[in-house]
Amino acid sequence: MTILDEFSTHFAGSCAMHAKARAVMPGGLSHDIRHMRPFPVFVDRAAGSRKWDVDGHELICYHMGHGALLLGHSHPAIVRAVAEQAGRGMHFGAEHPLEIDGSAQIVAMVPSAERVRFTSSGTEASMLALQLARAVTQREKVLKIAYHFHGWHDAVSVGVDEPTAYPSTGGSQYTCAGVVLAPVNDLAFAEQALATDPDIAAVILEPSGASWGTIPLPQGMLERLRSATHRHGALLIFDEVITGFRWAPGGVQQLAGVTPDLTVLAKIIAGGMPGGAVAGRANVMEHLEFRDDPAWRKVKHPGTHNAHPVSAAAGLACLRLIADGAAQRRADATASQLRSGFNGILRRLGVPGVAYGQSSGFHLVLGRGTPPDGDVCEPGLDPAVLKRGVPDELAAPLHCGMLLEGVHLFHGSGFVSAVHEERDVKQTLNAFEKTLRRMQGEALL
């Protein structure tokens, strides 16, 4: 029996759920990234590093709430904070003390954060950051880097996927009119654009490199962009939706020693609940204030669920638990074990490929590259190869094979939490080896 045939048999409950979902939801999905062949897994409950699907399978989870769960699923302190706040009120339609406490916690942790404004998601936060940049500079354009992802709104949809000249949304070429798209990691292009186009309001990028380090940045790029934006009067925006609080308590900017003007945050900031924020310099963030001055350039920012009390409670509980960096260090060490183990298996089986990554994440490339000894952050492959990672023809067998062994990859990548344990590492590496051997047996590798 092939991997895909066995998967369809053993995950019959998810197959049935997907059929029901397709009847009432486009594609049977609520998020594009959950699409997989032949059908996605439907999960019933989760705790710690594991979750259980509707068929009763126990799975090691490397989705971790799309990166939001540094402390694992259903951390007791966060669950307690959510329950207590829900009992006090779900939505006050008013300001509340947790907003102040949460903002103060972020200011204490994130180097660029002098003021904070909450949103409902990372996409909304990147929208707000760009509006602030335009208001402050009185310029219209944004420079972004190919393959970097900043949410699904039109203003940053161009350049995310191939072909990079087109938006990934339903927008037309008019969507791209305000975007200067730099080729991936082409620092000279970015510096030249800033020097010659006086209408660039901001440069926005993922400071880890595209797609949380799938395509790492060249050494020194953050420093040079900081210098160039200063020189030419543009703002520098770090999208730390994924890296914020995960790479370090203060994000990539803390590790790199490069402070942007604005930082886009989400995921960990809300402790597993919906939520995001923009943090930044006081004299930039002040453009959200009301002033009795007809000439004042205020950026309007409504949002029914901004700083939602339950999200605020979850986020504050989470941030307090991870502020000392111990959780990040534990997760990083486990991820390093996994990356080294994956590379050892690729090498032993003679499978072309590379496992690499930064902090508490990992990425897999199959079909290209040579596995190095130990851990690696620089895979030395073409950006287009890194972006593709696991080719379509290998993705479903790999994903389904790992699920049959009790491991739920985040496609060809994974987020590691502070509560993943040695037994999780051992089971994951055994699953990877067994799945690759099966793929070799089916002449897929």
Side-chain angles (χ1 to χ4, degrees):
M1 184 181 290
T2 68
I3 292 172
L4 295 186
D5 287 342
E6 185 179 347
F7 174 80
S8 296
T9 299
H10 281 262
F11 288 80
S14 284
C15 183
M17 285 276 188
H18 185 54
K20 290 181 180 178
R22 288 179 63 87
V24 292
M25 301 159 57
L29 301 168
S30 291
H31 192 311
D32 283 359
I33 206 165
R34 297 175 197 152
H35 170 74
M36 66 167 280
R37 293 190 302 113
F39 51 84
V41 169
F42 283 72
V43 172
D44 177 61
R45 62 186 178 91
S49 65
R50 300 194 173 221
K51 56 193 179 188
W52 290 260
D53 71 358
V54 294
D55 288 290
H57 301 114
E58 182 176 336
L59 307 171
I60 302 171
C61 179
Y62 291 109
H63 279 240
M64 282 294 130
H66 298 195
L69 303 176
L70 180 60
L71 297 174
H73 292 282
S74 304
H75 189 282
I78 298 174
V79 171
R80 187 163 55 249
V82 167
E84 289 175 358
Q85 181 54 49
R88 296 173 65 87
M90 295 289 289
H91 196 307
F92 300 127
E95 301 303 300
H96 56 87
L98 286 172
E99 298 175 54
I100 304 170
D101 295 341
S103 296
Q105 187 68 43
I106 293 164
V107 169
M109 294 173 72
V110 179
S112 65
E114 295 177 355
R115 300 288 186 275
V116 179
R117 176 60 72 94
F118 291 102
T119 66
S120 294
S121 69
T123 289
E124 289 183 21
S126 73
M127 291 168 64
L128 179 59
L130 296 181
Q131 290 179 12
L132 281 164
R134 293 187 177 107
V136 170
T137 63
Q138 288 293 278
R139 300 175 182 181
E140 291 298 322
K141 295 180 183 176
V142 58
L143 188 151
K144 66 159 295 191
I145 302 170
Y147 300 127
H148 287 232
F149 180 73
H150 307 296
W152 52 266
H153 60 99
D154 284 351
V156 290
S157 65
V158 64
V160 176
D161 300 305
E162 295 287 355
T164 56
Y166 294 90
S168 59
T169 67
S172 69
Q173 281 297 92
Y174 293 106
T175 298
C176 311
V179 178
V180 177
L181 181 66
V184 65
N185 293 346
D186 191 335
L187 181 58
F189 179 100
E191 290 178 321
Q192 180 68 14
L194 284 164
T196 58
D197 190 338
D199 201 31
I200 294 176
V203 174
I204 186 171
L205 76 158
E206 295 180 71
S208 61
S211 298
W212 51 288
T214 297
I215 305 174
L217 294 179
Q219 191 72 26
M221 188 165 181
L222 295 179
E223 291 85 351
R224 287 178 61 180
L225 285 174
R226 176 67 286 179
S227 177
T229 49
H230 267 319
R231 197 161 56 247
H232 300 293
L235 301 191
L236 181 62
I237 304 172
F238 281 1
D239 185 332
E240 296 227 44
V241 164
I242 289 178
T243 60
F245 312 108
R246 179 177 285 276
W247 262 233
V252 172
Q253 58 194 264
Q254 177 187 334
L255 295 178
V258 178
T259 304
D261 301 293
L262 291 170
T263 301
V264 178
L265 298 165
K267 297 193 185 293
I268 290 171
I269 200 174
M273 295 293 291
V278 177
R281 286 187 359 228
N283 66 343
V284 175
M285 299 294 290
E286 69 180 2
H287 284 267
L288 289 161
E289 297 176 2
F290 286 87
R291 293 190 180 177
D292 293 327
D293 179 356
W296 177 241
R297 299 192 300 271
K298 176 184 164 32
V299 173
K300 294 183 179 181
H301 181 231
T304 298
H305 295 295
N306 294 343
H308 189 285
V310 179
S311 293
L316 181 58
C318 178
L319 294 183
R320 285 174 170 168
L321 287 167
I322 65 174
D324 64 358
Q328 291 88 341
R329 290 189 290 273
R330 285 195 299 274
D332 289 359
T334 304
S336 179
Q337 279 187 275
L338 284 166
R339 293 189 296 256
S340 296
F342 288 143
N343 281 321
I345 291 165
L346 290 167
R347 196 166 49 250
R348 186 163 62 252
L349 298 184
V351 174
V354 175
Y356 68 103
Q358 305 167 33
S359 185
S360 51
F362 62 81
H363 304 287
L364 295 169
V365 174
L366 285 184
R368 296 284 296 275
T370 302
D373 292 325
D375 198 4
V376 63
C377 288
E378 297 291 341
L381 292 168
D382 182 84
V385 173
L386 298 179
K387 176 68 175 176
R388 192 180 185 200
V390 180
D392 291 344
E393 64 272 17
L394 301 179
L398 174 67
H399 202 179
C400 292
M402 293 293 281
L403 282 164
L404 285 166
E405 299 302 319
V407 178
H408 196 193
L409 294 177
F410 193 47
H411 293 279
S413 300
F415 291 104
V416 179
S417 77
V419 298
H420 279 88
E421 300 173 335
E422 189 65 37
R423 69 185 183 117
D424 297 319
V425 173
K426 183 176 180 180
Q427 183 178 338
T428 300
L429 295 179
N430 287 339
F432 188 62
E433 180 162 359
K434 184 172 181 179
T435 299
L436 291 188
R437 288 187 184 278
R438 289 192 66 177
M439 291 172 71
Q440 286 178 319
E442 293 182 24
L444 296 170
L445 292 172

